[in-house]
Amino acid sequence: MAPPSNATPAGVLALLPKLSDADADIRYMSLNDLDGILRSGGTGFLSNEYHTCAKTVECLLKTLDDTNGEVQNQAIKCIGSLTLRAPSELLAPMIEKLSTLKTTNSVDNSIPATALRVFITSFPRPVIGIQPTKSTQEAYMAISKVLIPRLVGYVVISHGAKNQVGPPRGMLEVQEDNTVDSDALDVLIELVKCFGPMLKDAEKEALQRSTMAIFDHERTSTIAKKKAVSAISLLALYMSDALLSAFVSNTLESFRKSHLTAAQHRLLITMVGSLARTVPRRFGPYLKTLAPFILNPLSEQAYQDALEDAAESGTADSEADEVREAALLALEGFLLSCSNDMRPFTDEAIQAALRFAAYDPNVTGEGDDEEMGGTQNDMDDDAEDDEGDGEEDFEEEGAMSDDDDASWKIRRCAEKALYAVISTRSNGDLLDNGVLYEKIAPILVTRFQEREENVRLEILSTLTALVRKTSDNTTTPFSLAGETEFELTSAIEARSRKRRRLGSDATLFDSPVNSISKAGFKSPKISPPPSSGPKADLARLSNAIIRGISRLLKQSTLATKQSGIVLLREIITVQHGGLSEHFSKIAEPLIDAVKSSAGHATSHSISTTASATSGKLRIEALQLVSAVCDNHSSTIIAPYIPILVPAVAAAAKDKYLKVSSEAIVAVESLIKVLTPPRSAGSEQTNQHFVEELYDVVLDRALATDADVEVRQRAIHALGVLLARGSELSKVSVLSESQKTKATGVLLDRLRNETTRLSAVKAIDMCLAASQDRSTIEKTWTCEVALELGAQLRKANRGLRAASLAALRDLAGNSAALSCLDGKTVQALTGMLLPLVSSSDLNLLGTALVILAKLVRQSPKEVVDHRLNAAICEIVVAPLGGAVLDALLMLLRAIGEQNVGRPLMQGLLQDVGVNGDPAVVGKAIGMLVVSGGTTVGVKLEDFVTELQSAPDDKRKCLALSVLGEAGFRLGSSSPLEPGLFTKYFGSKSQSLPRAAATALGRAGAGNISTYLPVIITTTSKAGSSQYLSLHAIKEILQSSGEARSDISPYTKQMWDKLLAASQAEDNKAVGAECIGRLTVIEPKTFLPSLQKHLQDVSPSVKGMAIQAIRFALSDSDEAFDEVLRPMLIPMLNSMLDDDNLENRRLALGVLNSAIHNKSDMILPNLIDLVPLVMKESTVKPELVREVQMGPFKHKVDDGLEVRKSAYETLYTLMEAAYSRISPVDLFDRILAGLGDEHEIKVLSNLMLTKLVYLDPEETGRHLDSIAERYRSILAFKPKENAVKQEIEKLNEANKGVLKVTLLLHGILPANTSAGGNLQGEKWKGYWDWVGKDFRSQLASVEQELRSQAA
């Protein structure tokens, strides 16, 4: 029965008689055809066919009472399709008939309610702040007139009708059989979800009262009560403040009733907890009166009474236990959703959770718990471990408990509440003041022997969360005590430092040290724990934790073992070790976990989102092996190598991808343990194990049946092994044949598309480690160089960057570089030339460095017309920083190799004044000095050009050339200061500034000659003083190690700079000079700057603040020692300044300090963060109204300060998120989303970071984020809005859509509302965006994909 091709009313009528056919198949197919016609006909083809639709409704109502379930389901689908196409005047009668329908033939009595729900969901959902569609408005009118009265049992809003007949008994009222219809609650929930924004206050109140009446009825089922709680929570989303306040007042009165039953008490608590999760911001202020009612059942008196009652009666009071369970769940909701409002109840909440974490009325002895408290000595622990093998494990002890004992649910809820405290109150709060480690952590450790596994897993999860929070997100350099550092690494670093002191280009070739470090040559070192703070607290408790976990690993289920191993790994990660004294206790069970069969053994737990399997246990065990190897001395691991290596090697060949992949990572860590320098003196002992690991990684790297990830990791491990087996270790851990085979594999993998990136990184390590020319195979090196060069043409940016880094290491290794023949060098140069372009400065700098080394190796093969042309193109761009240094390094090499004449001609003839004089001048000046007479021009030629050039551009270029030449020639320079200063008085706009810069550049090379002249010029007022300051700035920037030559002049300079900086035009450049001068003599000048911060003049204080910011960018150790005790007091003083502009500057200083002096800032964030938070708020007193013609415009003088505060918060979030309260941070972000455009952009940027830093906390704020984003996207500009306003609005919308996609992709569990009421607003927002912004969303998604590619 195919539906008619043309959907017409006649086609609908033709199908109606068949709906009453005796054959159920015909009825079903007719309904299917009817549904097809309704869907294909559009929304308007029945809008004027009232009688046709009425007949259709009557027939569908009959089929809803069909004896066949499939026919009923198809009829429900047809009702959904008909709803949007029926005339609006038919909607109310349709609801009336559906709500009064009584089924007599159907077994399923929920069919009418299901049909009503389909009717409700068929209409587009209204959105707050947006005009609903016409069909939605008509549907709401029908619902308001008919459905809501049918639900509550009386007319709520008359809508102008007179003598209206009252509806029959309400669907939410007690029915004739004295029961409550739970299906009616489903209808109510769907009604509120879909039409909540349109409901009037009277309707919300009526629905709320009817729902609350269900709680009081004694025959209400448990399912109905749960649905009623959900309905109330949904209604709360749309309640007005007054209605919510009245509802809370009624709830408080209910709590105060003297005859409140346990069941009613539990329901009230459950409802309050649900409200906290649903509307946390609006509900939070009421907790000051509601929280005591929730904490009362959890008090010490209630706890003791419960134990006494259980002891007297022999069993616990199940109803009272259910109240306690509900109270703990509500407490968890309060702590997670209303963290700030719960601060006054922090101590009570923690004590309540700790109290019931040990609630077990069936167990009277606490010996096992005390045993785990860490009070025994190690000898007692060892004795207990030995005896434990003959005892029944505690899993079997659990079988002794009564099956009806549900106290474990209370204990589990208590652990969840503790987890909530840790997750919301750690950062910069309870973690820093020691509460979490003093009160919570010891109790958690004593509960390791919990007999119920679900509770035990929560305990381990909670303690793991605390350990993770202890990490300060900073990387501490470390190396193992007692293990010899790699001598060549130290030599390279020392040589690099020496060359840097000489002011050469060595800093551009520090990467081999980094590559050696990646290969494990720089051994880890355990730093002693701090004397105070969270890490010190963890260090004091870690012994007890590790002892407890070691017992769990010996006698426990898969899930417990897995959680215990995760906890151990986190402890090692945070402490960079910590198992040295206890590794013997966990080694054997850990290796057993690595070897455990990957069969189908599974351990299920209510508290875990996924079941624990032996495969997952092996993955966690292998990760722990890697952490142990990377953070502990080889002497600790050595006794277990004979059993550990075979176990890990076998896991590497496992058929399960994730196990094999993690095993390869563990193999790499073992390679570092077994090879020098960490294995110094035991090479012969370890030889067999090294060869076994070599065979494993080689096999996995070549295996065609292995997953790509496994092969990639195996290739990287092979690179580590080759690097550590090089001559750098002075001990051969691999034979020549093994090395040859391995290097051949790396070259082969480099040519494979799926593995080339891993091969590049592995080869990079090998090239960095090989220093002896005799051990490097020439043909292999040439082939590798050409393959690496070929990768530079690939579209994958990561591959290009890695290949370029490998070539840089090759060029920086003189032994490897000498293996390249002329043909290879020439071909490699051609591959590098496309990168010599200003389009990608990151790659350009590295390419120039490589070319500089190649020029020194084979100048004739490298320097040709192509390279000269490329250099002439890039000098036109305004280069600076490391890229400009790399260019000058290349030019120096070209000049010293006497091949610079053609390039000089190109720079003079083809570029000349067309480029940036600062860049072109430095390039020519470097070439003139390094090339000498071979470049065809002399220094005197540029002096002549300066004096005779007819235009300012040529003179500026000549000045730049002379300044660079003077700097490079140093004291041998024939140039005098007067050559530059005579142009200070020029009327040209550009010439005086160019002369000042050139004077400073030349002066940096010959300080004794130039600086006295410049200081004298500083005394002159006007432009000469300003230009002299720029010259001093250039000297201080370029002087490098010549700072010692400046020392005799510092006092004189200081006085001159302070005097000159009083002028408004000189303030910025003067502050920079003062800051850089302070670094040279910090003991003298830093106290003086601190004194200027107390000056009465805001201008002087502002100058001092700026000077400090410039000083912080320096890394001088002597300066840091003087700065350390002064920095925090100065910051506090600056941030508390009365002047608005000075506070903005102070925020910039703090931002710079976080980047450059984090070790001084992070320990003091508890004092600094509140000052930043304070500046991020809108201050109404700073908002003023300005008259602009006929219009009034608001000006916010605090915007720039707020913007700086948000920038500082962003920096703090990246540098030390664990030390900031996430609740306070999200408050500022949410406020920022409603602020000015610049603040919105910063807030969005912070959210993109937080979704990775703290996805859990981000998920809790999704509803609040949805509200802000909805208001941003719904904003419509005025008709007379200017172009700039439209562009800002479009940019803001695009940013919102980007973050929306990111949140939806990374937090799918939270964005899908399935039972999670907290995500209801986000789900509605996501649906709305997907519908109303479909094209924009698709465009943004495509842009993100292209950026990722």
Side-chain angles (χ1 to χ4, degrees):
M1 293 184 180
S5 57
N6 295 322
T8 61
V12 173
L13 290 173
L15 289 171
L16 297 183
K18 299 177 182 178
L19 301 184
S20 57
D21 194 279
D23 191 338
D25 290 338
I26 293 178
R27 296 198 300 276
Y28 175 83
M29 295 304 297
S30 299
L31 286 168
N32 187 59
D33 293 344
L34 177 61
D35 184 59
I37 290 177
L38 293 174
R39 289 180 181 276
S40 62
T43 58
F45 88 107
L46 290 177
S47 57
N48 298 319
E49 299 289 335
Y50 180 87
H51 295 291
T52 301
C53 290
K55 290 181 181 179
T56 305
V57 170
E58 291 294 334
C59 292
L60 290 176
L61 289 173
K62 292 179 181 179
T63 54
L64 287 176
D65 195 22
D66 199 280
T67 56
N68 187 290
E70 293 184 357
V71 172
Q72 290 177 311
N73 292 335
Q74 196 63 34
I76 291 173
K77 287 180 62 179
C78 289
I79 286 177
S81 302
L82 178 63
T83 299
L84 282 175
R85 293 157 181 82
S88 58
E89 55 269 23
L90 189 62
L91 297 179
M94 191 173 179
I95 295 175
E96 180 68 30
K97 293 180 181 294
L98 285 173
S99 63
T100 55
L101 178 66
K102 300 294 183 183
T103 55
T104 57
N105 300 320
S106 174
V107 177
D108 187 358
N109 293 325
S110 66
I111 290 295
T114 304
L116 274 174
R117 289 164 58 196
V118 171
F119 174 90
I120 293 169
T121 56
S122 297
F123 294 96
R125 292 190 179 188
V127 176
I128 297 176
I130 298 178
Q131 184 69 22
T133 62
K134 181 181 179 182
S135 61
T136 302
Q137 290 177 326
E138 293 170 348
Y140 164 69
M141 289 301 298
I143 288 171
S144 180
K145 289 179 181 178
V146 182
L147 182 56
I148 293 178
R150 277 291 293 120
L151 287 171
V152 300
Y154 59 91
V155 176
V156 180
I157 299 176
S158 62
H159 294 286
K162 298 181 179 180
N163 301 323
Q164 189 173 358
V165 179
R169 185 192 301 270
M171 298 168 65
L172 295 175
E173 294 181 316
V174 178
Q175 302 302 303
E176 296 176 355
D177 57 355
N178 204 29
T179 61
V180 175
D181 185 8
S182 65
D183 294 329
L185 287 166
D186 290 330
V187 175
L188 171 60
I189 290 172
E190 211 63 60
L191 167 63
V192 178
K193 280 184 180 180
C194 297
F195 288 91
M198 299 184 70
L199 294 176
K200 303 295 189 292
D201 281 352
E203 294 169 329
K204 299 171 192 173
E205 186 176 6
L207 293 171
Q208 170 246 310
R209 286 179 178 175
S210 297
T211 307
M212 289 299 296
I214 293 175
F215 289 150
D216 298 328
H217 192 261
E218 58 184 9
R219 295 288 299 277
T220 303
S221 66
T222 303
I223 294 176
K225 290 177 181 177
K226 290 181 178 179
K227 290 180 179 179
V229 170
S230 298
I232 288 293
S233 300
L234 281 170
L235 275 168
L237 286 170
Y238 307 105
M239 287 182 184
S240 63
D241 292 341
L243 190 57
L244 181 61
S245 178
F247 175 72
V248 172
S249 298
N250 292 334
T251 304
L252 285 170
E253 292 303 320
S254 299
F255 272 119
R256 295 190 178 106
K257 289 180 180 178
S258 57
H259 58 279
L260 192 66
T261 65
Q264 291 172 330
H265 196 186
R266 178 172 58 83
L267 281 173
L268 284 173
I269 292 174
T270 302
M271 181 183 64
V272 169
S274 181
L275 286 174
R277 288 179 166 89
T278 308
V279 284
R281 291 184 176 276
R282 298 174 59 208
F283 187 75
Y286 297 106
L287 288 181
K288 59 185 178 183
T289 52
L290 279 172
F293 292 100
I294 307 303
L295 292 168
N296 185 55
L298 305 175
S299 65
E300 177 65 24
Q301 184 62 46
Y303 178 76
Q304 295 299 334
D305 291 346
L307 293 180
E308 291 175 6
D309 293 344
E312 291 176 2
S313 62
T315 58
D317 185 347
S318 60
E319 290 189 345
D321 279 355
E322 288 178 354
V323 172
R324 296 182 189 103
E325 181 186 354
L328 286 166
L329 285 172
L331 182 62
E332 180 196 3
F334 293 169
L335 293 168
L336 288 175
S337 304
C338 311
S339 181
N340 278 338
D341 299 290
M342 280 296 291
R343 286 180 184 272
F345 304 98
T346 298
D347 291 338
E348 293 177 66
I350 292 175
Q351 290 301 325
L354 290 174
R355 191 177 296 125
F356 283 91
Y359 176 70
D360 197 348
N362 291 342
V363 176
T364 57
E366 297 295 336
D368 290 341
D369 293 342
E370 293 172 1
E371 193 176 273
M372 294 298 297
T375 59
Q376 310 101 311
N377 56 37
D378 293 337
M379 187 177 296
D380 294 334
D381 291 326
D382 295 337
E384 288 175 12
D385 291 340
D386 294 338
E387 293 172 1
D389 295 337
E391 298 175 351
E392 296 287 336
D393 63 30
F394 54 81
E395 292 304 320
E396 295 175 1
E397 287 176 14
M400 296 166 58
S401 64
D402 189 350
D403 291 338
D404 295 331
D405 176 30
S407 64
W408 66 270
K409 296 181 180 178
I410 294 178
R411 297 196 299 276
R412 188 184 66 180
C413 291
E415 301 298 342
K416 286 179 174 289
L418 292 174
Y419 183 94
V421 172
I422 291 170
S423 63
T424 59
R425 296 292 304 280
S426 296
N427 304 7
D429 194 355
L430 299 182
L431 183 65
D432 291 342
N433 62 21
V435 170
L436 297 184
Y437 273 106
E438 291 174 6
K439 293 185 177 180
I440 296 179
I443 301 300
L444 293 175
V445 176
T446 64
R447 297 300 305 160
F448 278 179
Q449 291 290 0
E450 163 66 46
R451 57 192 176 87
E452 186 67 36
E453 184 179 26
N454 290 318
V455 183
R456 191 166 59 250
L457 293 177
E458 285 295 343
I459 293 169
L460 294 171
S461 175
T462 303
L463 193 54
T464 302
L466 176 56
V467 174
R468 283 176 180 156
K469 290 288 185 180
T470 307
S471 174
D472 57 5
N473 297 336
T474 58
T475 303
T476 305
F478 51 94
S479 115
L480 280 179
E483 294 192 1
T484 307
E485 288 290 341
F486 195 55
E487 295 177 2
L488 184 60
T489 304
S490 301
I492 291 176
E493 290 178 326
R495 191 163 61 247
S496 297
R497 287 194 298 269
K498 181 178 179 182
R499 287 191 292 184
R500 282 197 294 268
R501 286 195 296 269
L502 295 176
S504 73
D505 307 305
T507 53
L508 300 174
F509 271 97
D510 285 346
S511 60
V513 179
N514 297 330
S515 298
I516 291 174
S517 178
K518 292 176 185 177
F521 284 112
K522 296 185 71 175
S523 303
K525 179 180 181 179
I526 299 175
S527 302
S531 58
S532 62
K535 286 193 174 183
D537 296 334
L538 174 61
R540 286 190 287 269
L541 191 65
S542 59
N543 288 343
I545 296 174
I546 295 167
R547 285 198 301 267
I549 295 298
S550 67
R551 293 172 187 167
L552 294 180
L553 293 179
K554 292 175 183 177
Q555 44 179 18
S556 189
T557 61
L558 289 178
T560 298
K561 288 181 179 179
Q562 181 175 323
S563 298
I565 287 174
V566 170
L567 176 55
L568 286 177
R569 190 183 70 239
E570 294 297 333
I571 290 174
I572 293 173
T573 302
V574 172
Q575 296 189 132
H576 301 299
L579 291 187
S580 299
E581 299 177 6
H582 303 278
F583 186 65
S584 59
K585 295 179 181 179
I586 71 163
E588 291 185 5
L590 175 60
I591 294 171
D592 289 340
V594 172
K595 294 191 294 188
S596 62
S597 173
H600 300 287
T602 305
S603 175
H604 296 276
S605 170
I606 298 174
S607 63
T608 52
T609 56
S611 60
T613 63
S614 59
K616 293 179 181 178
L617 175 62
R618 296 182 79 190
I619 292 171
E620 297 295 347
L622 288 164
Q623 290 177 348
L624 179 56
V625 168
S626 299
V628 170
C629 293
D630 292 340
N631 293 278
H632 292 83
S633 169
S634 300
T635 56
I636 303 297
I637 307 165
Y640 304 94
I641 288 296
I643 54 175
L644 184 57
V645 169
V648 174
K653 298 179 181 179
D654 194 272
K655 62 181 180 180
Y656 185 29
L657 157 66
K658 293 184 178 180
V659 171
S660 179
S661 180
E662 288 299 334
I664 294 296
V665 177
V667 165
E668 182 176 319
S669 298
L670 283 170
I671 287 172
K672 297 174 184 178
V673 170
L674 293 171
T675 52
R678 293 181 62 180
S679 66
S682 57
E683 292 82 5
Q684 296 300 323
T685 306
N686 296 334
Q687 187 66 34
H688 168 70
F689 303 114
V690 173
E691 290 179 355
E692 184 175 353
L693 295 178
Y694 168 82
D695 292 338
V696 168
V697 294
L698 198 64
D699 174 73
R700 294 291 84 193
L702 292 172
T704 56
D705 58 340
D707 187 83
V708 173
E709 180 182 331
V710 174
R711 281 181 282 155
Q712 289 173 343
R713 289 186 168 182
I715 291 167
H716 190 273
L718 188 61
V720 170
L721 182 55
L722 281 172
R724 294 180 72 93
S726 69
E727 72 283 354
L728 283 181
S729 64
K730 300 182 181 178
V731 177
S732 179
V733 297
L734 294 175
S735 65
E736 289 302 321
S737 61
Q738 288 174 325
K739 288 182 181 179
T740 302
K741 186 174 182 180
T743 53
V745 169
L746 290 183
L747 181 58
D748 178 67
R749 296 295 88 189
L750 179 60
R751 292 166 176 158
N752 185 287
E753 184 177 358
T754 59
T755 57
R756 56 172 52 124
L757 180 57
S758 299
V760 167
K761 295 178 180 179
I763 289 170
D764 190 2
M765 288 185 286
C766 297
L767 292 172
S770 300
Q771 298 292 320
D772 188 349
R773 172 68 177 82
S774 62
T775 62
I776 303 177
E777 210 283 313
K778 182 176 180 180
T779 304
W780 180 83
T781 306
C782 291
E783 291 181 5
V784 162
L786 293 177
E787 284 295 332
L788 290 173
Q791 308 310 315
L792 301 178
R793 298 194 299 267
K794 305 296 182 183
N796 187 323
R797 180 174 176 78
L799 177 61
R800 282 186 290 153
S803 301
L804 202 59
L807 286 171
R808 179 185 59 188
D809 286 352
L810 186 154
N813 185 336
S814 58
L817 185 63
S818 63
C819 292
L820 302 183
D821 54 31
K823 185 177 180 181
T824 303
V825 170
Q826 191 172 16
L828 187 58
T829 302
M831 297 171 180
L832 287 167
L833 283 177
L835 300 181
V836 184
S837 167
S838 58
S839 60
D840 192 333
L841 297 181
N842 291 326
L843 299 181
L844 170 61
T846 309
L848 292 174
V849 168
I850 298 169
L851 287 169
K853 282 293 180 180
L854 294 178
V855 167
R856 296 188 182 278
Q857 173 75 11
S858 306
K860 294 183 179 179
E861 284 77 8
V862 178
V863 182
D864 57 14
H865 68 282
R866 296 177 302 166
L867 178 61
N868 293 336
I871 293 174
C872 290
E873 286 184 14
I874 62 172
V875 295
V876 177
L879 304 179
V883 177
L884 181 57
D885 291 340
L887 174 62
L888 296 177
M889 179 183 178
L890 173 60
L891 292 170
R892 179 177 181 177
I894 292 174
E896 290 177 350
Q897 297 302 315
N898 301 324
V899 289
R901 182 184 288 269
L903 177 58
M904 178 62 79
Q905 293 176 353
L907 290 173
L908 293 175
Q909 297 175 7
D910 300 335
V911 180
V913 296
N914 296 322
D916 183 356
V919 178
V920 179
K922 286 186 177 182
I924 295 174
M926 172 62 84
L927 206 55
V928 167
V929 174
S930 60
T933 58
T934 63
V935 295
V937 292
K938 298 177 294 185
L939 191 61
E940 291 76 9
D941 296 336
F942 293 98
V943 175
T944 304
E945 176 74 7
L946 174 63
Q947 296 172 344
S948 61
D951 59 273
D952 291 342
K953 285 186 177 182
R954 295 181 182 278
K955 289 184 178 181
C956 288
L957 179 58
L959 283 168
S960 181
V961 172
L962 293 172
E964 183 66 21
F967 173 68
R968 299 294 171 180
L969 290 171
S971 59
S972 62
S973 171
L975 303 176
E976 295 294 331
L979 180 66
F980 304 98
T981 55
K982 70 178 182 181
Y983 293 98
F984 280 12
S986 172
K987 296 182 180 180
S988 169
Q989 291 184 350
S990 56
L991 195 57
R993 182 67 176 271
T997 304
L999 175 65
R1001 186 70 171 170
N1006 192 359
I1007 289 174
S1008 60
T1009 302
Y1010 280 74
L1011 192 53
V1013 176
I1014 297 173
I1015 292 174
T1016 302
T1017 312
T1018 309
S1019 303
K1020 300 178 181 179
S1023 60
S1024 295
Q1025 187 180 66
Y1026 174 76
L1027 295 171
S1028 297
L1029 291 176
H1030 274 283
I1032 291 176
K1033 183 188 77 170
E1034 190 69 30
I1035 288 178
L1036 294 173
Q1037 284 180 332
S1038 307
S1039 58
E1041 291 301 320
R1043 286 178 176 177
S1044 57
D1045 298 334
I1046 301 177
S1047 297
Y1049 308 96
T1050 53
K1051 182 62 173 68
Q1052 186 180 2
M1053 288 174 65
W1054 180 264
D1055 295 336
K1056 296 287 186 182
L1057 289 172
L1058 285 178
S1061 299
Q1062 300 303 311
E1064 189 64 30
D1065 292 341
N1066 300 342
K1067 189 178 297 181
V1069 64
E1072 183 174 354
C1073 293
I1074 291 171
R1076 298 188 185 281
L1077 189 60
T1078 302
V1079 178
I1080 297 176
E1081 289 191 15
K1083 292 182 180 180
T1084 303
F1085 299 133
L1086 200 53
S1088 179
L1089 270 184
Q1090 188 177 26
K1091 183 179 178 181
H1092 280 89
L1093 290 176
Q1094 308 303 323
D1095 197 281
V1096 294
S1097 170
S1099 177
V1100 174
K1101 286 193 284 188
M1103 179 273 297
I1105 293 172
Q1106 291 186 75
I1108 293 171
R1109 180 169 68 87
F1110 285 111
L1112 290 177
S1113 60
D1114 200 285
S1115 59
D1116 187 84
E1117 293 179 2
F1119 172 70
D1120 288 352
E1121 288 302 315
V1122 180
L1123 177 67
R1124 192 175 304 278
M1126 303 172 64
L1127 179 58
I1128 302 304
M1130 287 194 299
L1131 282 171
N1132 283 320
S1133 174
M1134 288 186 280
L1135 291 169
D1136 202 32
D1137 196 89
D1138 295 333
N1139 185 271
L1140 190 67
E1141 176 63 14
N1142 285 347
R1143 293 204 303 275
R1144 183 188 70 81
L1145 294 173
L1147 288 167
V1149 174
L1150 177 56
N1151 209 333
S1152 177
I1154 297 168
H1155 283 295
N1156 300 295
K1157 312 294 179 186
S1158 59
D1159 58 320
M1160 304 181 197
I1161 295 296
L1162 298 187
N1164 299 279
L1165 286 182
I1166 193 169
D1167 298 322
L1168 296 172
V1169 170
L1171 296 174
V1172 181
M1173 295 283 187
K1174 177 183 174 183
E1175 295 300 334
S1176 67
T1177 58
V1178 177
K1179 296 179 174 59
E1181 65 272 16
L1182 297 177
V1183 180
R1184 54 191 172 88
E1185 203 171 63
V1186 178
Q1187 189 79 29
M1188 298 181 67
F1191 305 104
K1192 290 183 178 180
H1193 179 65
K1194 285 187 177 181
V1195 176
D1196 187 353
D1197 293 328
L1199 176 60
E1200 290 302 318
V1201 179
R1202 245 180 9 263
K1203 182 180 176 182
S1204 296
Y1206 273 92
E1207 290 171 349
T1208 306
L1209 283 176
Y1210 178 81
T1211 304
L1212 282 169
M1213 182 189 70
E1214 284 195 312
Y1217 176 70
S1218 63
R1219 302 189 180 215
I1220 308 174
S1221 169
V1223 177
D1224 294 340
L1225 182 61
F1226 270 98
D1227 281 344
R1228 301 317 314 144
I1229 291 174
L1230 293 172
L1233 291 176
D1235 208 323
E1236 296 294 333
H1237 175 73
E1238 295 87 346
I1239 311 295
K1240 287 178 184 176
V1241 172
L1242 286 168
S1243 298
N1244 272 330
L1245 193 59
M1246 293 167 78
L1247 278 176
T1248 61
K1249 297 290 184 182
L1250 281 168
V1251 72
Y1252 296 105
L1253 285 173
D1254 197 345
E1256 187 176 2
E1257 189 68 28
T1258 307
R1260 294 192 194 107
H1261 291 83
L1262 279 180
D1263 282 352
S1264 300
I1265 295 171
E1267 291 177 0
R1268 271 63 172 188
Y1269 278 0
R1270 191 190 293 272
S1271 63
I1272 293 173
L1273 293 176
F1275 177 78
K1276 302 296 181 185
K1278 297 178 181 178
E1279 293 183 359
N1280 59 349
V1282 298
K1283 181 181 179 182
Q1284 186 179 10
E1285 292 176 338
I1286 300 295
E1287 290 176 349
K1288 279 188 175 182
L1289 181 63
N1290 292 336
E1291 183 183 350
N1293 289 350
K1294 186 177 181 180
V1296 166
L1297 293 176
K1298 280 185 177 180
V1299 183
T1300 298
L1301 281 171
L1302 182 67
L1303 292 172
H1304 184 74
I1306 296 179
L1307 303 173
N1310 297 83
T1311 56
S1312 178
N1316 180 10
L1317 292 177
Q1318 188 183 1
E1320 192 65 36
K1321 286 188 177 180
W1322 177 267
K1323 184 177 184 299
Y1325 163 74
W1326 173 255
D1327 293 340
W1328 173 67
V1329 167
K1331 180 180 178 182
D1332 289 13
F1333 295 86
R1334 182 179 301 175
S1335 59
Q1336 297 98 312
L1337 203 63
S1339 174
V1340 169
E1341 188 173 11
Q1342 182 61 36
E1343 181 181 339
L1344 292 175
R1345 286 178 179 173
S1346 61
Q1347 288 176 356

